[in-house]
Amino acid sequence: MYPSRFRYEAPHSLDEARSLLAQYGDEAKVLAGGQSLVPLLKLRFAAPELLVDINGVPGLGHHRVEAGVLRVGALCRHVDLERSSVLARHPLVASAAPLIADPIVRNRGTLVGSLCHADPQGDWASVLLALGGHVVAEGPHGRRPIPMAEFTLGPFQNALRPGEIAVEAVAPAPRGQVSGRYLKLERRVGDFATVGVAVALETDGDRVVRAGIALTGVGPHTIAATAAEQALVGRPLTAATVEEAAQLAAEASRPKGDHRGSVAYKRHVVATFVRRGLARTDLEAVA
Amino acid sequence: MTALDEIKIGGLGASRRRVEDARFVRGRGNYTDDIVLPGMLHMEILRSPLAHARITSIDTSRAWEIPGVRLVLTGEMMAQRNLAWMPTLSYDTQAVLATDKVRFQGQEVCVVVADDPYIAKDGCDAIVVEYEPLTPVVNPLQSRAADAPLIRDDKEGQVDNTCYRWEVGDRAATERAFAQADVVSRMQLHYPRSHPSPIECCGSIADFDPATQKLTVYMTTQAPHIIRAAVALVAELPEHMIRIVSPDIGGGFGNKVPVYPGYVASILASILLGRPVKWIEDRTGNLASTGFGRDMYLAAEMALRSDGRILAVRMHADTDQGAFFADAQPTKFKIGLLHSAFACYDIGTGHITAQGHYTNKAPGGVAYRCSFRVTEAMFFQERMMQAAAVDLGMDQAEFRRINLLRDDAFPARTPFGFLVDSGQYGKCLRLGLDAIGYEQFLVDQAEARTRGRRLGIGISTMTEPLGAGNSREYDILGIKMFDSAELRVHMTGKAILRVGAKSQGQGHETTWGQIVAHELGIPAADVIVEEGDTDTAPFGMGTYASRSTPVAGAAISMVARKVRAKARKLAAHLLECSEEDVEWELGRLYVRGAPHRGATIQECAMAAYSNMPDGMEPGLENVAYYDPPNLTWPFACYIATVEVDPETGVWDVLRFVAVDDCGVRINPMVVEGQIMGGLTEAYAMSSMQFQTYDAEGNMVGSNYMDYLLPTAWETPGFELHEVVTPCPHHPIGAKGVGECAAVGGPAAFVNAVHDALSDTGVRNIDMPLLPDRVWQALQDGRDVSGMPPVRSD
């Protein structure tokens, strides 16, 4: 791999990292797991002046549940979530983790890095969107939460301001009975999703209290299937409500036909996966 | 004394652990990129971003200004030295660096040589090339259109985009047979363009020494002696001043047979600069510019009798050759061995026509894990067999059984001229059907269908011609396709064996020692195997087309037998008897009638250096060249069962049974490894793998995001079985095996998916059977043909 020339800094504190980012602005890139950034460097699609390697910054590798709230630090690797024992109340996260890329990428890549990369085919953005989560940014003016729904601005564009660094992703505490599942159709393990569907449900008895449905790879960015979610809230899960949600989610998708499949196919798989995601709440992987 | 146990000394049939793995798994291999020479420079290639364009200007001035840039070569500079074009193995020409036009995306335009690879890459980025875009031609249909642009306007007399026409068989007899047919079955399909994609890309280090005038080239080649011959014959350098070294190779699969522009440019750069020049290709360079496989459109008809007997086959093939006809194949047939199709069946008669087409795509079709075009031949054969069985309303296993050659039919001449010499086809098929539980599966399948589940079973039976090859059918640059072995036994009975073949991971260092152990009784562990250095190895034609064991392996047997003949003379001397009275058992010579009086092979070796009879030349060594009388004809029966998810088109392999008859197995473990590797590639081709081009000629599949290699996660398990029918003409009865599974495997998977769709009217979905294509076929009840389209809908 022969990237363009760049400067490399490995700060030991968040303050130091922030000041480097403030100094270099758009010319700086944060290196966490590097699983998206390094290929871009290799192809010379990205040629930043400075890489700020945050792997030496303490206090970012955590993931923990506090009062039901899941907090995932900027250096928490996918594999940490795959092997986690604290995700009983966050089944969607537990179900998505083993479907991220391949085992080698999972050893190194990070959830927060994936959110920041804002690839429309990134799986974690759908998961956090379905959960109603947010990203915590730290910048020159302190900390601020950015709701996931506002974090991704477009393909490979996030809402971080110059000098800001994403330090944590947060999923709120669920209420009632929890279920959730991530379904992903890929041509091969490690492939980007042809279609990915994140489903998160909170139920009280047989009523749905909260529904989150988000779609991966079927639009210019991750899509929240809001109408499908609303069709479920306050109602029981029946064949009819499930079917309605499936159709509304398919309508919300904006796929492009490519060598992974036609528009009609991808829409059909969205509906199929919403149906399966609502019908089956175990963690079994699909496809 | 008791006889040696052949398995214990690592002889024939021993699943000896691979000796080369000790260094490979420790990261101690010695690949081209591991070699560092003093004063070495680095070369990078600037490639064309366009598929078809006229070059209007090239400005290299900014590249020359970069500190550390030592040389920038353009096509013009190559032309001044008569090196802008080079001949291909298919008697065409290929541009080394483009002078007039670029003819495919990724074509080599300039090279930059610099102090390190980063600077070389910066140098490439600094070159400004201006292009005038021309209409790209991306498939044979466009290629033969009346208004198609002429791609090869460099060739005198070339008026259209046809690069060859060829035919074989008996047209008249075939027509007569079709006139008598009860049923005519038809099949049309496309075998997609794929890429061998070895994990190690191509590369070379050219080291021209201005003082000695000797050129040494370390390079990723499967055939170092052919490279030396080509450099000597084409570049007119004296042959003794050329040394080609092929170090450890990280996979070849046919990709490392051709001569690539990068090799040529690095050699010229080293000659011009008087310093070693290293070129290491990146993944995109490898996928986008080096030898691909397949890309063939096949249409055929089969004439059938209502009782299920085949009367004749008629086929036409259109091949997409890319910009240059650079097929790396040694047969004397333009279409390679496509006409080995149906060799395992009694088909009466047949006729095949073929036409090659230039397109604006990467050149250099290679025999990707196959003997040239055999993969297409056998895939087509087995898809056609399934379709014919459906058309006849016959069970697919029974239809195969009644048409397979019977055990008493050998040797059998095929309608296309091959001599198939041995096999037990019926036994292999029965073993496979029993192993998969064929009859029970049909019951389960019918029961599952009533519950909406789609199960399918696919069979693929085939023999293929392996081990290029007998000189009636093969040569390269006029050189016959023999191979060679040189065996030197040291005084303590240890030995060094040098062979003209070249392993790329096949385990030669392990297997070759076992042949020596079998022939001489010297433990395999006492034999060092060397390959790949043209200054030390005897002349051989390299490793591809599953030819190493059939040809080089035979040479090893023969050289060991020559050594044994001399050991016999030495034994007679030691035992004080006449040579006629000396008997051989494994590792030992003894006096007939007095078995206690004997000399071991090691004692004979010592005598060759210390106690030879008067008048005998000292030493115990010899060399053998082996020109095979025929190809070897292994047989395989592969059976897959699958379940198709009708909602998503995703299909999962339930079981896969492989029965291989590759004759005598030297190292059964190595053979099984070859079969599993081949089946993995077969699964890849059938399920996920292809290279395609959009309308502009942009390649989809020039990196591992789009060109998919299967991983351990999705690759199914394989159940292996064996039948042994020794090869009648090979000294130890072995046949080729490396490619069987990659050749015969795809049809088993694909037939199984189609079997699961048997009630839908879908006759053919072209590979790869990606979920969306299977789903589409299920939706429409119609075939899905051609490359997966690059849509923008």
Side-chain angles (χ1 to χ4, degrees):
Chain A
M1 132 166 197
Y2 303 109
S4 302
R5 193 171 290 272
F6 58 84
R7 211 179 131 201
Y8 172 86
E9 293 282 356
H12 293 291
S13 71
L14 214 46
D15 281 348
E16 209 184 323
R18 273 204 313 258
S19 86
L20 283 164
L21 291 174
Q23 191 186 337
Y24 280 80
D26 283 349
E27 288 306 318
K29 272 279 186 192
V30 174
L31 175 71
Q35 298 305 297
S36 299
L37 179 56
V38 172
L40 292 176
L41 292 174
K42 172 198 146 157
L43 295 168
R44 297 194 172 192
F45 289 165
E49 210 171 299
L50 173 70
L51 278 195
V52 181
D53 182 346
I54 60 167
N55 284 280
V57 175
L60 296 176
H62 62 278
H63 77 278
R64 56 180 170 261
V65 177
E66 295 169 347
V69 177
L70 171 65
R71 298 184 172 278
V72 179
L75 288 175
C76 173
R77 316 285 165 180
H78 309 306
V79 69
D80 300 331
L81 298 166
E82 186 182 1
R83 295 178 186 164
S84 174
S85 56
V86 302
L87 297 175
R89 297 278 291 161
H90 295 88
L92 172 55
V93 174
S95 137
L99 298 181
I100 305 299
D102 59 42
I104 300 164
V105 172
R106 291 201 292 275
N107 284 339
R108 196 77 201 144
T110 64
L111 179 148
V112 172
S114 167
L115 298 179
C116 291
H117 186 55
D119 188 324
Q121 287 177 303
D123 300 298
W124 282 127
S126 286
V127 172
L128 266 287
L129 197 57
L131 292 172
H134 64 268
V135 174
V136 178
E138 268 203 38
H141 310 293
R143 270 185 175 234
R144 65 172 181 127
I146 310 173
M148 199 55 223
E150 295 160 25
F151 185 71
T152 308
L153 301 179
F156 308 102
Q157 282 182 299
N158 63 44
L160 291 173
R161 294 177 191 138
E164 271 187 335
I165 183 167
V167 294
E168 205 172 53
V170 179
R175 298 153 297 170
Q177 286 169 291
V178 185
S179 63
R181 190 172 175 215
Y182 189 66
L183 298 95
K184 181 177 183 179
L185 178 70
E186 53 188 358
R187 296 173 300 174
R188 186 207 63 188
V189 168
D191 188 21
F192 287 109
T194 300
V195 175
V197 172
V199 177
L201 278 184
E202 293 163 28
T203 47
D204 180 8
D206 64 348
R207 305 247 149 217
V208 175
V209 182
R210 183 186 175 280
I213 298 176
L215 316 177
T216 310
V218 286
H221 51 78
T222 310
I223 291 172
T226 319
E229 293 167 349
Q230 285 164 356
L232 295 170
V233 174
R235 299 165 73 186
L237 277 186
T238 64
T241 55
V242 167
E243 191 52 37
E244 192 185 343
Q247 293 311 323
L248 288 168
E251 280 167 32
S253 69
R254 296 279 176 273
K256 270 179 61 175
D258 58 19
H259 51 283
R260 287 184 171 83
S262 64
V263 168
Y265 176 68
K266 290 181 181 181
R267 281 230 165 90
H268 170 81
V269 175
V270 168
T272 303
F273 279 6
V274 170
R275 230 178 271 129
R276 289 181 181 179
L278 292 171
R280 309 259 316 269
T281 51
D282 59 301
L283 303 183
E284 187 191 321
V286 165
Chain B
M1 84 179 269
T2 53
L4 281 178
D5 180 336
E6 179 159 354
I7 299 297
K8 279 192 181 150
I9 64 164
L12 216 56
S15 283
R16 180 183 180 221
R17 285 200 185 180
R18 297 186 1 142
V19 294
E20 45 272 85
D21 288 351
R23 65 178 191 279
F24 291 157
V25 302
R26 289 175 172 86
R28 299 297 293 267
N30 183 42
Y31 298 93
T32 299
D33 200 17
D34 291 322
I35 297 169
V36 176
L37 300 179
M40 188 170 77
L41 299 170
H42 298 265
M43 187 184 97
E44 179 71 29
I45 297 174
L46 176 68
R47 297 177 183 280
S48 166
L50 300 174
H52 199 193
R54 195 162 297 288
I55 297 173
T56 54
S57 72
I58 299 179
D59 181 358
T60 61
S61 56
R62 280 183 47 231
W64 281 104
E65 286 164 13
I66 297 172
V69 168
R70 303 288 167 174
L71 180 68
V72 183
L73 280 177
T74 62
E76 209 49 53
M77 293 163 73
M78 300 296 280
Q80 287 161 13
R81 290 160 183 86
N82 206 20
L83 281 173
W85 293 81
M86 62 180 179
T88 70
L89 289 170
S90 286
Y91 303 96
D92 192 6
T93 50
Q94 174 173 359
V96 177
L97 296 180
T99 48
D100 50 342
K101 292 201 300 187
V102 287
R103 292 175 171 82
F104 69 95
Q105 186 184 58
Q107 185 176 342
E108 300 81 359
V109 177
C110 294
V111 302
V112 175
V113 181
D115 290 351
D116 70 41
Y118 296 89
I119 299 172
K121 185 119 178 133
D122 291 345
C124 285
D125 288 351
I127 295 172
V128 181
V129 184
E130 283 180 10
Y131 296 100
E132 175 195 323
L134 301 168
T135 307
V137 173
V138 297
N139 59 49
L141 206 63
Q142 292 177 0
S143 172
R144 64 178 164 224
D147 59 347
L150 182 63
I151 296 168
R152 294 303 301 276
D153 52 353
D154 58 294
K155 292 183 76 171
E156 227 167 279
Q158 182 79 34
V159 295
D160 59 17
N161 291 323
T162 299
C163 82
Y164 71 86
R165 284 174 205 277
W166 190 75
E167 70 173 288
V168 67
D170 189 334
R171 183 192 291 268
T174 303
E175 275 170 14
R176 284 196 300 276
F178 270 85
Q180 291 160 6
D182 297 324
V183 176
V184 173
S185 196
R186 293 185 176 82
M187 169 61 63
Q188 233 182 319
L189 56 79
H190 178 227
Y191 204 122
R193 180 176 277 234
S194 59
H195 197 279
S197 188
I199 290 301
E200 179 202 31
C201 300
C202 296
S204 55
I205 305 168
D207 182 15
F208 179 74
D209 186 328
T212 63
Q213 298 284 301
K214 183 152 183 174
L215 172 68
T216 303
V217 188
Y218 303 87
M219 63 190 286
T220 51
T221 178
Q222 299 175 222
H225 282 100
I226 298 176
I227 299 288
R228 189 183 70 184
V231 174
L233 297 174
V234 175
E236 295 179 354
L237 286 171
E239 196 171 358
H240 67 299
M241 298 302 274
I242 306 161
R243 178 182 171 213
I244 306 297
V245 182
S246 193
D248 283 334
I249 296 186
F253 309 104
N255 184 248
K256 290 168 180 168
V257 174
V259 175
Y260 292 122
Y263 299 148
V264 178
S266 70
I267 290 172
L268 179 63
S270 178
I271 291 173
L272 292 175
L273 294 166
R275 289 172 67 176
V277 174
K278 179 188 265 190
W279 164 61
I280 297 296
E281 186 177 61
D282 64 13
R283 179 62 55 196
T284 296
N286 183 257
L287 285 168
S289 76
T290 64
F292 65 92
R294 336 298 182 217
D295 211 349
M296 179 185 277
Y297 297 79
L298 276 158
E301 301 176 302
M302 183 179 264
L304 296 151
R305 231 164 48 189
S306 54
D307 65 357
R309 292 306 298 263
I310 302 167
L311 300 176
V313 177
R314 187 152 53 198
M315 282 170 76
H316 177 75
D318 284 294
T319 59
D320 184 331
Q321 299 292 154
F324 310 107
F325 185 25
D327 283 3
Q329 64 117 343
T331 76
K332 294 185 178 180
F333 317 112
K334 290 285 183 198
I335 193 66
L337 301 176
L338 182 70
H339 53 308
S340 62
F342 299 98
C344 67
Y345 299 111
D346 178 2
I347 59 162
T349 186
H351 184 242
I352 297 177
T353 54
Q355 185 177 352
H357 305 270
Y358 288 118
T359 59
N360 291 117
K361 292 156 77 172
V366 296
Y368 168 18
R369 203 169 188 150
C370 81
S371 291
F372 213 78
R373 301 292 189 192
V374 163
T375 308
E376 293 95 313
M378 298 313 156
F379 179 70
F380 181 79
Q381 165 193 305
E382 288 308 299
R383 293 288 296 122
M384 179 87 243
M385 290 300 284
Q386 194 197 33
V390 169
D391 291 345
L392 286 165
M394 275 184 82
D395 175 80
Q396 54 170 323
E398 177 63 8
F399 177 58
R400 283 181 174 79
R401 190 189 67 77
I402 64 173
N403 286 292
L404 283 170
L405 293 179
R406 292 175 197 287
D407 295 359
D408 59 4
F410 301 107
R413 183 70 68 182
T414 77
F416 304 116
F418 292 102
L419 189 69
V420 183
D421 58 19
S422 58
Q424 302 175 70
Y425 299 172
K427 182 178 176 184
C428 291
L429 175 61
R430 191 65 250 167
L431 182 54
L433 293 173
D434 288 347
I436 202 91
Y438 186 67
E439 284 75 18
Q440 185 58 46
F441 183 86
L442 297 185
V443 174
D444 297 345
Q445 179 183 34
E447 195 272 329
R449 188 68 64 80
T450 64
R451 289 182 289 115
R453 289 178 59 197
R454 292 192 168 276
L455 308 186
I457 186 161
I459 303 174
S460 175
T461 47
M462 58 111 214
T463 186
E464 56 156 334
L466 294 191
N470 45 306
S471 36
R472 192 173 68 90
E473 282 146 356
Y474 289 90
D475 70 60
I476 293 181
L477 305 166
I479 308 163
K480 295 189 173 186
M481 298 290 295
F482 56 85
D483 221 290
S484 59
E486 181 189 279
L487 178 63
R488 177 176 305 158
V489 184
H490 308 312
M491 69 179 84
T492 57
K494 318 291 181 190
I496 180 165
L497 176 72
R498 290 179 165 136
V499 182
K502 175 60 203 166
S503 184
Q504 308 120 43
Q506 292 91 337
H508 290 185
E509 289 166 55
T510 306
T511 303
W512 293 165
Q514 295 186 239
I515 299 177
V516 174
H518 171 68
E519 297 287 354
L520 287 177
I522 295 176
D526 290 353
V527 183
I528 283 284
V529 175
E530 267 188 22
E531 295 180 330
D533 184 337
T534 57
D535 268 7
T536 56
F539 193 101
M541 298 300 269
T543 290
Y544 39 85
S546 298
R547 69 184 299 278
S548 295
T549 290
V551 190
I556 295 164
S557 267
M558 301 318 276
V559 76
R561 289 176 192 183
K562 285 184 181 181
V563 165
R564 195 165 78 202
K566 180 162 184 185
R568 189 184 196 85
K569 292 183 198 299
L570 289 158
H573 173 64
L574 291 175
L575 300 171
E576 298 175 331
C577 65
S578 81
E579 201 187 326
E580 289 70 41
D581 290 334
V582 176
E583 291 281 331
W584 167 256
E585 64 180 3
L586 188 64
R588 184 168 175 270
L589 295 133
Y590 62 92
V591 180
R592 183 178 304 128
H596 61 283
R597 284 187 57 211
T600 63
I601 187 75
Q602 289 81 7
E603 287 162 348
C604 293
M606 183 58 82
Y609 292 83
S610 61
N611 180 21
M612 67 294 272
D614 289 344
M616 182 187 279
E617 200 179 334
L620 187 58
E621 61 185 80
N622 220 313
V623 61
Y625 291 84
Y626 185 83
D627 191 6
N630 191 5
L631 296 155
T632 69
W633 294 89
F635 184 81
C637 169
Y638 301 126
I639 306 181
T641 56
V642 302
E643 175 159 12
V644 175
D645 176 352
E647 284 187 307
T648 59
V650 170
W651 51 278
D652 289 316
V653 177
L654 304 174
R655 283 180 67 200
F656 194 100
V657 164
V659 182
D660 279 274
D661 179 357
C662 58
V664 173
R665 297 183 176 201
I666 300 164
N667 182 320
M669 181 195 69
V670 166
V671 168
E672 288 179 3
Q674 288 288 316
I675 293 167
M676 289 198 183
L679 290 174
T680 304
E681 283 174 279
Y683 173 68
M685 285 182 266
S686 58
S687 66
M688 66 180 77
Q689 213 161 61
F690 64 98
Q691 280 191 320
T692 191
Y693 290 75
D694 69 10
E696 303 303 312
N698 298 306
M699 177 185 265
V700 176
S702 63
N703 58 58
Y704 279 165
M705 275 193 293
D706 289 318
Y707 193 73
L708 303 177
L709 303 191
T711 72
W713 288 89
E714 54 275 325
T715 303
F718 305 116
E719 303 165 36
L720 307 187
H721 301 267
E722 70 170 70
V723 168
V724 176
T725 312
C727 175
H729 61 77
H730 188 277
I732 52 174
K735 302 180 179 184
V737 69
E739 63 200 51
C740 292
V743 169
F749 294 109
V750 173
N751 282 345
V753 174
H754 285 87
D755 186 52
L757 272 49
S758 61
D759 61 331
T760 62
V762 175
R763 193 172 174 83
N764 182 54
I765 305 168
D766 273 339
M767 290 195 292
L769 300 182
L770 289 162
D772 64 306
R773 289 156 78 84
V774 176
W775 179 80
Q776 196 63 52
L778 273 165
Q779 292 305 297
D780 305 343
R782 283 209 302 267
D783 290 1
V784 176
S785 304
M787 277 288 191
V790 185
R791 296 190 191 82
S792 50
D793 54 20

